[in-house]
Amino acid sequence: MKVILNEDVKHLGEMGDVKNVANGYARNYLFPHAFAVPYNSETVAYFEGKKAEIEARKEQKRADSKTLKEKLEGLSIELVVPAGANGKLYGAVTNQTLAEYFAKNGYEIERKRIEIPGLTIKNCGSYTFKVHLYEAALAEVKLTVKPQEDKTEAADASKAKKDAKAKPAEEDKGAAAEEASSSAE
């Protein structure tokens, strides 16, 4: 069945696009949710009148895509993940990992739009991955995967820092106590 999309429909098309879809998909999903209308002379005339508005929306998406591409290509991501001594990761960096990173940092990028060479990254090092933006626009982003500090080393380092902070505090308390006793006499 031929339909004209009323709204942007994920994995199908954008507003104003003419698509051939299964009859059941159109009747049971697209029409009840007002995502599409049947393709006929009336709806074609209606969308011809809205053509300028639709083209303006697409142009806005292109501009947004261009600015996002510039931001992403200027970005250098550094991920710290658990890894063995030889640099092999205990897990893997996937497009889901990167999508979560982007979400935490204020970017709205679907994981399906992130393309990692070889699908996953399993070793520490420097990599480049692609993000598919609007239409044919691609952004290449630099990624550095570093091993996470070993927990025992981290615990020793934090303990040493705490000890270093505690000693001056104890000395200050002792000096204050001596001053208080000498001034009381």
Side-chain angles (χ1 to χ4, degrees):
M1 171 181 281
K2 219 173 188 182
V3 297
I4 301 176
L5 298 179
N6 239 358
E7 296 180 20
D8 294 353
V9 179
K10 202 179 226 182
H11 307 298
L12 185 59
E14 297 179 334
M15 179 185 218
D17 289 352
V18 176
K19 296 289 180 174
N20 275 321
V21 296
N23 291 342
Y25 182 57
R27 281 194 313 266
N28 298 323
Y29 181 71
L30 296 176
F31 296 159
H33 291 96
F35 292 145
V37 293
Y39 182 87
N40 57 36
S41 58
E42 294 172 8
T43 56
V44 169
Y46 173 75
F47 279 99
E48 284 296 322
K50 290 182 75 175
K51 197 172 193 171
E53 179 187 330
I54 293 169
E55 201 52 47
R57 281 184 59 190
K58 287 184 178 182
E59 192 58 42
Q60 180 62 37
K61 287 182 182 180
R62 286 184 195 105
D64 292 344
S65 169
K66 186 176 181 182
T67 58
L68 182 59
K69 178 180 178 175
E70 291 171 358
K71 284 181 184 178
L72 290 177
E73 288 184 343
L75 190 65
S76 183
I77 299 173
E78 186 173 297
L79 291 178
V80 179
V81 293
N86 59 354
K88 187 167 175 85
L89 304 181
Y90 289 135
V93 175
T94 63
N95 57 357
Q96 180 64 39
T97 310
L98 295 170
E100 290 169 0
Y101 173 86
F102 283 131
K104 286 179 187 174
N105 291 298
Y107 294 98
E108 290 182 31
I109 299 174
E110 298 173 5
R111 80 175 166 81
K112 291 181 180 181
R113 295 190 172 275
I114 299 170
E115 180 185 328
I116 297 174
L119 299 178
T120 60
I121 296 173
K122 297 182 180 182
N123 292 308
C124 295
S126 296
Y127 300 91
T128 302
F129 65 93
K130 296 178 184 176
V131 177
H132 295 271
L133 303 170
Y134 186 69
E135 293 176 339
L138 279 174
E140 291 193 4
V141 185
K142 294 177 184 128
L143 169 68
T144 305
V145 180
K146 292 188 173 184
Q148 188 175 29
E149 195 175 289
D150 190 20
K151 289 182 181 179
T152 56
E153 292 174 12
D156 292 342
S158 65
K159 185 178 177 184
K161 286 181 185 176
K162 286 180 184 176
D163 291 344
K165 288 180 182 177
K167 286 181 182 178
E170 289 172 3
E171 291 171 2
D172 291 341
K173 287 180 185 176
E178 287 177 23
E179 288 179 20
S181 64
S182 65
S183 64
E185 291 175 4

